[in-house]
Amino acid sequence: MGRIFEVRKSTMFARWDRMAKQFTRIGKDIAIAVKAAGPDPDNNPALRRCIVNAKAVNMPKDRVDAAIKRALGKDKTDYEEVVYEGYAPHGIAIMVDTATDNTTRTVANVRMHFNKCGGSLGNSGSVGFMFNRVGEFKVKNAGQNLEELELELIDFGLEEIGEDSEGNIIIRAAFTEFGNMSKALEDKGLEVISSELKRIPANLVELSEDQAKEVLELVDRLEQDDDVQAVFHNLK
């Protein structure tokens, strides 16, 4: 029983760690959204997106409300969104989205992660041209006809539509059309499970299993950093 219990405990703690990281990330997103456009989700599309994503990871409503209140309080923390670019081992391009209240700390930590894993932090624009920024929406599939839905959404910036392994509808829109697509999905009464801004690589690079492990070690280190919101790469 001892070994099985330890394995289960380790899995449970890992799940809690991931959940805590997700809550922290969404809390920062809420703070940024509230600062930009106020605390009313009806008039703040970015805040609505945060609330939807909070539900997707089972973040309690009281924690969401508390994050909104903190963003309005006197002791609120101002977060700056900063993007870092670089290369992982074997030439894999990496983009790191951060939200930080201390850019000196963040850049030092990000550089340390790259260096420890055999990568290198680059200058702004060094790999950004390899990625397309899009808005990605995960929508509950309630029997919609994808071809009809595609025609209905083209005028709102639709770039791609398909299904994931769980049968949910995945919709990608141009970054500049994120707000229009979000409103269109709301107006059509579609249940949005989550919505994110993503960086999609134009081309993927395939590596051996051992080489890929080296890249993913860097990705994992970056994702565990408290200031990091998301990590994107072009590893196949």
Side-chain angles (χ1 to χ4, degrees):
M1 173 190 145
R3 185 173 181 277
I4 293 175
F5 174 75
E6 288 301 322
V7 170
R8 287 177 178 169
K9 185 171 71 171
S10 176
T11 301
M12 179 177 63
F13 285 153
R15 184 170 67 250
W16 285 349
D17 285 344
R18 286 195 301 272
M19 188 179 298
K21 173 64 177 175
Q22 289 171 328
F23 290 0
T24 299
R25 176 178 60 81
I26 291 172
K28 288 184 178 181
D29 284 341
I30 288 172
I32 293 168
V34 170
K35 181 180 178 182
D40 183 0
D42 290 336
N43 299 315
N44 188 339
L47 181 56
R48 286 203 303 275
R49 171 172 63 87
C50 294
I51 292 172
V52 168
N53 292 340
K55 291 178 181 178
V57 298
N58 297 315
M59 184 173 178
K61 185 178 182 301
D62 59 348
R63 293 195 61 164
V64 174
D65 293 339
I68 294 173
K69 288 179 181 177
R70 278 197 304 273
L72 295 169
K74 293 180 180 179
D75 299 326
K76 65 182 178 181
T77 301
D78 288 332
Y79 292 107
E80 182 179 354
E81 295 179 284
V82 185
V83 180
Y84 297 98
E85 307 176 33
Y87 284 96
H90 313 294
I92 296 298
I94 298 273
M95 295 198 71
V96 186
D97 287 351
T98 70
T100 177
D101 59 350
N102 185 328
T103 55
T104 301
R105 176 195 66 223
T106 303
V107 68
N109 287 344
V110 170
R111 180 178 287 110
M112 175 191 67
H113 297 317
F114 273 94
N115 291 343
K116 283 200 171 184
C117 294
S120 60
L121 183 63
N123 296 322
S124 177
S126 58
V127 304
F129 65 94
M130 302 181 190
F131 294 79
N132 299 316
R133 200 171 191 202
V134 302
E136 183 174 285
F137 301 82
K138 181 187 292 187
V139 177
K140 184 174 182 180
N141 192 337
Q144 291 93 341
N145 183 301
L146 291 193
E147 291 185 1
E148 291 180 2
L149 188 59
E150 180 177 11
L151 292 175
E152 293 174 3
L153 295 176
I154 283 178
D155 290 339
F156 300 97
L158 178 71
E159 291 192 348
E160 292 181 72
I161 188 170
E163 294 183 340
D164 65 10
S165 59
E166 298 175 345
N168 299 306
I169 300 172
I170 302 298
I171 292 168
R172 285 180 178 166
F175 168 67
T176 54
E177 299 290 343
F178 185 90
N180 289 335
M181 180 60 71
S182 181
K183 187 174 187 308
L185 296 176
E186 288 181 18
D187 291 345
K188 293 181 182 300
L190 298 174
E191 182 180 343
V192 178
I193 300 170
S194 65
S195 58
E196 300 178 85
L197 294 173
K198 289 193 170 184
R199 302 179 190 275
I200 307 299
N203 296 291
L204 296 175
V205 177
E206 188 168 6
L207 299 177
S208 69
E209 184 176 348
D210 288 341
Q211 290 173 328
K213 283 181 179 178
E214 295 179 44
V215 175
L216 294 176
E217 180 183 351
L218 171 57
V219 172
D220 183 61
R221 284 185 65 101
L222 288 166
E223 288 180 338
Q224 295 307 312
D225 191 286
D226 287 342
D227 292 335
V228 172
Q229 297 291 88
V231 181
F232 305 96
H233 57 78
N234 66 344
L235 174 66
K236 184 172 182 180

